[in-house]
C-alpha cells in the first residue's frame, strides 16, 4: 500500500504544509505503509526545498527510513518506512 500527498492546493500556506506532511507521516506509521509519495510539483523548487527541510528535522527524520528523489520526475519525492516486527507491532526505524 502507498499513500500520496499532493501539495499543489496548499503550496503557499506554510503551516498547512507542515500539518499535511506530519499527518501523512503519522498515517503511514499507523497503517504500517512502507511508501509515501509527496508531490510538491515542479514550479520554482521552493516547495520541494521546504518539504526536504521539514523531513530533515531531527524529530521527523527518526520516523522514516529514507527519502528518495524521483529521477524521472523532479516534482515528486518518496518517503520509505521500515517496521521492525513481522507482526506489524513495531515502530518506524530511524535512518
Amino acid at each position: 500500500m502507498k499513500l500520496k500527498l499532493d501539495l499543489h492546493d496548499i503550496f503557499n500556506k506554510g503551516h498547512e504544509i507542515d500539518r499535511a506532511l506530519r499527518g501523512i507521516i503519522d498515517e503511514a506509521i499507523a497503517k504500517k505503509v512502507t511508501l509515501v509519495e509527496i508531490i510538491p510539483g515542479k514550479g520554482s523548487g521552493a516547495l520541494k526545498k521546504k518539504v526536504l527541510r521539514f523531513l530533515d528535522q531531527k524529530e521527523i527524520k527518526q520516523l522514516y527510513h529514507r527519502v528518495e528523489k524521483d529521477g524521472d520526475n523532479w516534482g515528486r519525492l518518496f518517503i520509505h518506512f521500515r517496521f521492525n516486527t513481522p507482526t506489524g507491532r513495531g515502530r518506524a526505524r530511524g535512518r
Side-chain angles (χ1 to χ4, degrees), residues 37-54:
E37 178 182 354
I38 306 289
I39 302 172
K42 294 181 180 177
S44 68
L47 183 53
K48 182 176 179 179
K49 287 177 187 174
K50 178 174 179 40
V51 170
L52 290 170
R53 281 192 306 271
F54 177 88

Side-chain angles (χ1 to χ4, degrees), residues 21-35:
L21 290 167
R22 184 58 199 236
I24 200 84
I25 289 170
D26 290 345
E27 183 179 353
I29 292 168
K31 293 180 177 178
K32 307 293 186 233
V33 174
T34 58
L35 182 64

Side-chain angles (χ1 to χ4, degrees), residues 3 5 10 15-16 21 27-28 33-34 38 45-46 48-49 52 57 64 66 71-72 76 78 84 86 88 92:
L3 295 175
L5 176 63
I10 57 172
H15 291 298
E16 285 187 39
L21 290 167
E27 183 179 353
V33 174
T34 58
I38 306 289
K48 182 176 179 179
K49 287 177 187 174
L52 290 170
Q57 295 176 84
Y64 62 87
R66 70 184 175 95
D72 296 326
R76 181 166 66 172
F78 297 103
N84 292 334

